[in-house]
Each structure stands twice: as structure tokens, then as C-alpha cells.
Amino acid sequence: MMKKFLLLISLLCIFTQLGYAQNSTLKTYQKGDWKAVTKPYTGQAVVIHFWGVTCAPCAKEMPQWGRFVAQNKNAKVIFIQVDDVSPDSASKMMSSSGLARVDAYTLASPFDDALRYEIDPRWRGETPLTLLIDKNGKVIRKTGTMDFDKLKQWYFVSA
């Protein structure tokens, strides 16, 4: 009986810590952060994916991103959640998609024109949006869901 009680307490502690770990990987993003987020990847191929919890295509696509990241461990992918939901909602979706340990951000302030313009002057706020930045800094803009076979090919050529 005591062993079962200790096992139950141990499992409860593990699940509680996992919950905190999921929230701790989601950093805040605000206007002016673009250069700080992208600078560590200068000279490397990096993908920056903008998504939303309330975006149906994003919700459908996130598990595919999770599989892509798991299968391509050297791929550098940053996720920025842009809709007006709680960080917990974003964290839960990231976690359920297998993305609990990736480089991820959520907005600290409302998603406005100045923030979008800083990232891409042509962006009107539609999601999903993915920016593929090669090692020379050339940016390819992809609106809508990702073709992951093409993304894998892009990494092979661009990294």
C-alpha cells in the first residue's frame, strides 16, 4: 500500500514538473525583438514559423511540424504564436504537437501593424506564415500550410 502511495506521489510530481517545463520554453516576443531572435542564426539556414492557436490550418499542421522537427534534429526552426490567446493555450498546443522543447515565442502585446511590418512589410497578419532564411540571408516567404518534403529539400540546399 505504501509503495503505491509513493508511486502515485512520484508520478504527480513528475507531471507537475512537466507542466512547468512546457510553459518555460515559450518565451515572450514583442516589437523590437526581431533582430535579437534572428541574430544567433546569422550564416545558418533557419525557418521562422508564425502560427495561431485559433487558426484552423495551423492547428492541423502543428503535429506535422512536430514530426519534421523530430526527424530533422539539425533543422533550426523558431515558432512564433501570434493570436490573442493565453500562453498556456499556445504551450498546450506546442506540447501536444511534440514541440515542447523547441525555440518558441508568444506575443507579449497585441499583434499590431508595427510588429508585422518589422518582420515583413508585405505581411498582413495571415497565418500560417513561414519565412525560410538561407545561410546568405535570402528570405523565401511561404503563406499557408507547409509542404514538408519541399522544406526538407530546402534545408538540404540552404544549410
mmCIF file of all heavy atoms in Angstrom, residues 80-102:
data_model
loop_
_atom_site.group_PDB
_atom_site.id
_atom_site.type_symbol
_atom_site.label_atom_id
_atom_site.label_comp_id
_atom_site.label_asym_id
_atom_site.label_seq_id
_atom_site.Cartn_x
_atom_site.Cartn_y
_atom_site.Cartn_z
ATOM 1 N N ILE A 80 6.656 31.268 -33.650
ATOM 2 C CA ILE A 80 6.135 32.477 -33.008
ATOM 3 C C ILE A 80 4.618 32.444 -33.118
ATOM 4 O O ILE A 80 4.063 32.517 -34.213
ATOM 5 C CB ILE A 80 6.711 33.760 -33.634
ATOM 6 C CG1 ILE A 80 8.250 33.752 -33.522
ATOM 7 C CG2 ILE A 80 6.125 34.994 -32.952
ATOM 8 C CD1 ILE A 80 8.936 34.942 -34.164
ATOM 9 N N GLN A 81 3.954 32.337 -31.988
ATOM 10 C CA GLN A 81 2.491 32.283 -31.915
ATOM 11 C C GLN A 81 1.979 33.717 -31.851
ATOM 12 O O GLN A 81 2.434 34.497 -31.027
ATOM 13 C CB GLN A 81 2.082 31.462 -30.684
ATOM 14 C CG GLN A 81 0.610 31.341 -30.465
ATOM 15 C CD GLN A 81 0.096 32.414 -29.542
ATOM 16 O OE1 GLN A 81 0.773 32.814 -28.606
ATOM 17 N NE2 GLN A 81 -1.094 32.894 -29.810
ATOM 18 N N VAL A 82 1.027 34.078 -32.730
ATOM 19 C CA VAL A 82 0.659 35.479 -32.878
ATOM 20 C C VAL A 82 -0.791 35.836 -32.564
ATOM 21 O O VAL A 82 -1.156 37.009 -32.656
ATOM 22 C CB VAL A 82 1.001 35.995 -34.301
ATOM 23 C CG1 VAL A 82 2.494 35.930 -34.554
ATOM 24 C CG2 VAL A 82 0.228 35.235 -35.361
ATOM 25 N N ASP A 83 -1.635 34.889 -32.246
ATOM 26 C CA ASP A 83 -3.014 35.283 -31.963
ATOM 27 C C ASP A 83 -3.202 35.584 -30.478
ATOM 28 O O ASP A 83 -2.337 35.299 -29.655
ATOM 29 C CB ASP A 83 -4.038 34.268 -32.470
ATOM 30 C CG ASP A 83 -3.831 32.858 -31.972
ATOM 31 O OD1 ASP A 83 -2.816 32.592 -31.309
ATOM 32 O OD2 ASP A 83 -4.686 32.022 -32.260
ATOM 33 N N ASP A 84 -4.325 36.208 -30.159
ATOM 34 C CA ASP A 84 -4.578 36.712 -28.810
ATOM 35 C C ASP A 84 -5.204 35.626 -27.948
ATOM 36 O O ASP A 84 -6.426 35.591 -27.780
ATOM 37 C CB ASP A 84 -5.476 37.943 -28.883
ATOM 38 C CG ASP A 84 -5.586 38.645 -27.545
ATOM 39 O OD1 ASP A 84 -4.718 38.428 -26.680
ATOM 40 O OD2 ASP A 84 -6.556 39.401 -27.366
ATOM 41 N N VAL A 85 -4.366 34.733 -27.445
ATOM 42 C CA VAL A 85 -4.803 33.667 -26.545
ATOM 43 C C VAL A 85 -3.821 33.614 -25.380
ATOM 44 O O VAL A 85 -2.763 34.232 -25.415
ATOM 45 C CB VAL A 85 -4.860 32.292 -27.254
ATOM 46 C CG1 VAL A 85 -5.859 32.298 -28.388
ATOM 47 C CG2 VAL A 85 -3.484 31.887 -27.749
ATOM 48 N N SER A 86 -4.147 32.850 -24.386
ATOM 49 C CA SER A 86 -3.246 32.735 -23.237
ATOM 50 C C SER A 86 -2.000 31.945 -23.625
ATOM 51 O O SER A 86 -2.059 31.058 -24.485
ATOM 52 C CB SER A 86 -3.953 32.033 -22.080
ATOM 53 O OG SER A 86 -4.087 30.660 -22.365
ATOM 54 N N PRO A 87 -0.873 32.262 -22.999
ATOM 55 C CA PRO A 87 0.343 31.471 -23.249
ATOM 56 C C PRO A 87 0.141 29.992 -22.936
ATOM 57 O O PRO A 87 0.736 29.141 -23.584
ATOM 58 C CB PRO A 87 1.380 32.100 -22.308
ATOM 59 C CG PRO A 87 0.896 33.493 -22.094
ATOM 60 C CD PRO A 87 -0.610 33.402 -22.128
ATOM 61 N N ASP A 88 -0.728 29.690 -21.974
ATOM 62 C CA ASP A 88 -0.997 28.281 -21.657
ATOM 63 C C ASP A 88 -1.625 27.558 -22.846
ATOM 64 O O ASP A 88 -1.294 26.401 -23.108
ATOM 65 C CB ASP A 88 -1.914 28.166 -20.442
ATOM 66 C CG ASP A 88 -1.185 28.420 -19.141
ATOM 67 O OD1 ASP A 88 0.071 28.403 -19.140
ATOM 68 O OD2 ASP A 88 -1.859 28.650 -18.128
ATOM 69 N N SER A 89 -2.532 28.233 -23.562
ATOM 70 C CA SER A 89 -3.154 27.608 -24.739
ATOM 71 C C SER A 89 -2.099 27.296 -25.801
ATOM 72 O O SER A 89 -2.100 26.212 -26.391
ATOM 73 C CB SER A 89 -4.210 28.528 -25.352
ATOM 74 O OG SER A 89 -5.253 28.743 -24.459
ATOM 75 N N ALA A 90 -1.211 28.262 -26.022
ATOM 76 C CA ALA A 90 -0.142 28.045 -27.005
ATOM 77 C C ALA A 90 0.789 26.933 -26.544
ATOM 78 O O ALA A 90 1.176 26.062 -27.333
ATOM 79 C CB ALA A 90 0.641 29.337 -27.209
ATOM 80 N N SER A 91 1.127 26.939 -25.284
ATOM 81 C CA SER A 91 2.019 25.921 -24.737
ATOM 82 C C SER A 91 1.403 24.528 -24.854
ATOM 83 O O SER A 91 2.088 23.565 -25.213
ATOM 84 C CB SER A 91 2.332 26.251 -23.279
ATOM 85 O OG SER A 91 3.251 25.346 -22.760
ATOM 86 N N LYS A 92 0.117 24.422 -24.583
ATOM 87 C CA LYS A 92 -0.557 23.123 -24.687
ATOM 88 C C LYS A 92 -0.535 22.612 -26.120
ATOM 89 O O LYS A 92 -0.301 21.434 -26.369
ATOM 90 C CB LYS A 92 -1.992 23.229 -24.180
ATOM 91 C CG LYS A 92 -2.091 23.304 -22.673
ATOM 92 C CD LYS A 92 -3.521 23.469 -22.220
ATOM 93 C CE LYS A 92 -3.573 23.680 -20.717
ATOM 94 N NZ LYS A 92 -4.911 24.040 -20.256
ATOM 95 N N MET A 93 -0.795 23.512 -27.082
ATOM 96 C CA MET A 93 -0.792 23.070 -28.479
ATOM 97 C C MET A 93 0.614 22.655 -28.908
ATOM 98 O O MET A 93 0.791 21.659 -29.613
ATOM 99 C CB MET A 93 -1.328 24.155 -29.405
ATOM 100 C CG MET A 93 -1.447 23.678 -30.846
ATOM 101 S SD MET A 93 -2.154 24.890 -31.944
ATOM 102 C CE MET A 93 -3.882 24.519 -31.733
ATOM 103 N N MET A 94 1.615 23.426 -28.479
ATOM 104 C CA MET A 94 3.002 23.066 -28.804
ATOM 105 C C MET A 94 3.334 21.692 -28.219
ATOM 106 O O MET A 94 3.899 20.842 -28.902
ATOM 107 C CB MET A 94 3.975 24.114 -28.251
ATOM 108 C CG MET A 94 3.844 25.500 -28.840
ATOM 109 S SD MET A 94 4.421 25.633 -30.529
ATOM 110 C CE MET A 94 6.159 25.402 -30.317
ATOM 111 N N SER A 95 2.967 21.491 -26.979
ATOM 112 C CA SER A 95 3.282 20.235 -26.303
ATOM 113 C C SER A 95 2.570 19.056 -26.957
ATOM 114 O O SER A 95 3.179 18.022 -27.212
ATOM 115 C CB SER A 95 2.896 20.349 -24.833
ATOM 116 O OG SER A 95 3.212 19.160 -24.173
ATOM 117 N N SER A 96 1.293 19.221 -27.262
ATOM 118 C CA SER A 96 0.538 18.110 -27.863
ATOM 119 C C SER A 96 1.015 17.809 -29.284
ATOM 120 O O SER A 96 0.741 16.732 -29.808
ATOM 121 C CB SER A 96 -0.962 18.407 -27.850
ATOM 122 O OG SER A 96 -1.266 19.475 -28.721
ATOM 123 N N SER A 97 1.740 18.747 -29.886
ATOM 124 C CA SER A 97 2.271 18.537 -31.238
ATOM 125 C C SER A 97 3.702 18.018 -31.217
ATOM 126 O O SER A 97 4.334 17.908 -32.270
ATOM 127 C CB SER A 97 2.218 19.854 -32.018
ATOM 128 O OG SER A 97 0.897 20.307 -32.121
ATOM 129 N N GLY A 98 4.223 17.760 -30.032
ATOM 130 C CA GLY A 98 5.601 17.274 -29.930
ATOM 131 C C GLY A 98 6.625 18.377 -30.049
ATOM 132 O O GLY A 98 7.773 18.137 -30.396
ATOM 133 N N LEU A 99 6.209 19.619 -29.758
ATOM 134 C CA LEU A 99 7.097 20.772 -29.909
ATOM 135 C C LEU A 99 7.391 21.458 -28.584
ATOM 136 O O LEU A 99 7.676 22.650 -28.552
ATOM 137 C CB LEU A 99 6.455 21.773 -30.891
ATOM 138 C CG LEU A 99 6.275 21.263 -32.313
ATOM 139 C CD1 LEU A 99 5.319 22.157 -33.096
ATOM 140 C CD2 LEU A 99 7.628 21.176 -33.012
ATOM 141 N N ALA A 100 7.363 20.721 -27.501
ATOM 142 C CA ALA A 100 7.552 21.335 -26.186
ATOM 143 C C ALA A 100 8.975 21.831 -25.962
ATOM 144 O O ALA A 100 9.191 22.711 -25.142
ATOM 145 C CB ALA A 100 7.178 20.344 -25.092
ATOM 146 N N ARG A 101 9.933 21.317 -26.704
ATOM 147 C CA ARG A 101 11.333 21.667 -26.439
ATOM 148 C C ARG A 101 11.962 22.506 -27.550
ATOM 149 O O ARG A 101 13.177 22.581 -27.640
ATOM 150 C CB ARG A 101 12.135 20.400 -26.249
ATOM 151 C CG ARG A 101 11.554 19.476 -25.199
ATOM 152 C CD ARG A 101 12.535 19.203 -24.096
ATOM 153 N NE ARG A 101 11.999 18.295 -23.119
ATOM 154 C CZ ARG A 101 11.375 18.705 -22.010
ATOM 155 N NH1 ARG A 101 11.222 19.972 -21.778
ATOM 156 N NH2 ARG A 101 10.911 17.825 -21.156
ATOM 157 N N VAL A 102 11.166 23.128 -28.390
ATOM 158 C CA VAL A 102 11.716 23.934 -29.485
ATOM 159 C C VAL A 102 11.850 25.394 -29.060
ATOM 160 O O VAL A 102 11.359 25.800 -28.004
ATOM 161 C CB VAL A 102 10.819 23.839 -30.746
ATOM 162 C CG1 VAL A 102 10.755 22.414 -31.253
ATOM 163 C CG2 VAL A 102 9.436 24.389 -30.475
#
